[in-house]
Amino acid sequence: MALLVVRGLRVRYPGAQEDALRGVDLELAPGEFVCVLGPSGAGKSTLIRCINRLVEPASGQIIWDGHDAMRLKGAHLLAYRRQIGMIFQEFHLVDRLPVLANVLMGRFGYVSPWQAAIGRYGPQEVAWARQALARVGLAGYELRRARDLSGGQRQRVAIARALVQRPRLMLGDEPVSNLDPVTARAIMALLAEINRRDGLTMLINLHSVDLARAFATRVIGLSRGQVAFDGPPSRVDRSVLEQVYGTAG
Amino acid sequence: MKAESRLAPPATRRGAGLRFLLVLMAVAAVYGASAAATEFHPVVVVRDADVFVQLLGEMWPDNRERWVFLLTDFLPRLKVPFIQTLQIAILGTLAGAVLAVPFVVLASNNLTRNPVVYAAAKALMNLLRTVPELLYASIFVAAVGFGPFPGVLALTVFSMAIVAKLTSESVEAVDPGPLEALEAAGATRAQVIAYAVVPQVLPLFVSYVLYVFEINVRVSTVLGLVGAGGIGQQLQLMLSLFQYENAFIIILATFVLVAAIDYASARVRARLV
């Protein structure tokens, strides 16, 4: 059964002349590594923000594990979001706080608000956070301030923060666009390794066609708010890129 | 003719000299009208300079015994009113800082999405800030009577408005990234504020509170002039009794106190931000 089904998704931002998404259909099977390509403004960021309901669609369906995710509110919405990890182009860490504190924030969907408010995490929570840091290659960095780390290291912290959510889907909004090519490849390799070993489903927006070809099991091309291509990376050729980007990429 | 006009300076530049002259004349006219209405004549300042010099002479203790008396006998007696002045400033600042917190949340457009609540909170803070502290003090003196109590109330309202305004502007300028990341992880609103907003804003908040404390120390030294307690009440008393030497010592001590607190507070603030 599909992990996620998206049907007829439409989004219009307030004051915009055109829809940001114009009827997107998408199905994700567990364990897929999907990369979303498309020019700036094609709706890549909007699409993944709709999936965890950071952006409210005007119409359409989002079915998560057989359940309607569009009607979720309050505590149910928070419980839905904690099953979906998310990483960002600018990492989105709290720079002043230590690495471990940033990773523990991934547990917010699970601990009670008053527990988090007084910074009380159980030993199990802290152990998971340390494990996640070791997993992304940052064992020993627990007490370093986030702002003292390099870009690649900060994205690793963000990945660890998403992993402690025990997610079933990882969303990535151009997670490697701010990194140099070597670091970008290393981060993509880390995501691919997590995908293979844990079977964690990935839906990652990318700028780089080469990285998508190298790591994805499936590529989706978005063009002006619509799916222009959906298929294996081996089928991404010149004519497909022309279709998605308008000109040869 | 055509070539000449092409070489001439642009129109905006050409009129600049004339416009400057007109502005200068307008400023002079406003100054003259205001001086006439308030019967202020700059000439008087020069003509009656000897009166000022005489007053300064009366303020300056002219012999050793007077100095010894003022510094060893009178100055120690100022300890209580000076401490009261500081206490007024401390109480007003702390209460204002605490009361500011809910208004910071309401007056920040990234924390309060309801436009009516946001606009109302922002407008209230701006309104409270437009009233000078001494006016608050006189109103509270009228309401609750003489003494330090109305002084504390006045500083509380004033501090709350300034701290809330400055801090809410900082909250609106925080990096929105961590807020989005925590929201995506299923965090509640309280968690997002506590972990993504507070760490970014806390040093600025403390710095604003110290800044307002500096202002409050200065203001609390003159609160007594409207009957709201502190050293100002002593100063008022000495001036009305024509005890100019005593008044001079109060002013001198006030200057030293305010300068010391300004300096210390500025040092701390420089380390915070």
Side-chain angles (χ1 to χ4, degrees), chain B residues 48-97:
Chain B
D48 293 353
D50 51 331
V51 180
F52 292 105
V53 173
Q54 193 193 333
L55 181 65
L56 283 178
E58 280 175 47
M59 289 184 119
W60 187 259
D62 38 26
N63 58 52
R64 219 184 110 82
E65 286 87 89
R66 283 303 293 164
W67 275 108
V68 170
F69 166 77
L70 286 168
L71 293 180
T72 61
D73 196 79
F74 180 66
L75 188 60
R77 275 189 281 141
L78 296 175
K79 204 170 110 186
V80 172
F82 262 121
I83 287 174
Q84 191 184 65
T85 290
L86 282 180
Q87 286 162 338
I88 293 171
I90 290 168
L91 288 174
T93 310
L94 288 181

Side-chain angles (χ1 to χ4, degrees), chain B residues 90-168:
Chain B
I90 290 168
L91 288 174
T93 310
L94 288 181
V98 171
L99 291 176
V101 171
F103 284 103
V104 169
V105 175
L106 293 177
S108 300
N109 59 12
N110 47 354
L111 299 183
T112 299
R113 298 272 155 74
N114 184 329
V116 178
V117 175
Y118 165 75
K122 203 121 214 168
L124 180 65
M125 291 304 107
N126 280 328
L127 186 74
L128 289 178
R129 235 164 30 92
T130 55
V131 179
E133 308 93 317
L134 281 181
L135 199 52
Y136 279 124
S138 356
I139 293 168
F140 285 122
V141 165
V144 302
F146 288 104
F149 193 72
V152 172
L153 288 181
L155 292 189
T156 300
V157 174
F158 180 76
S159 308
M160 180 189 84
I162 295 199
V163 171
K165 182 184 164 66
L166 291 176
T167 310
S168 65

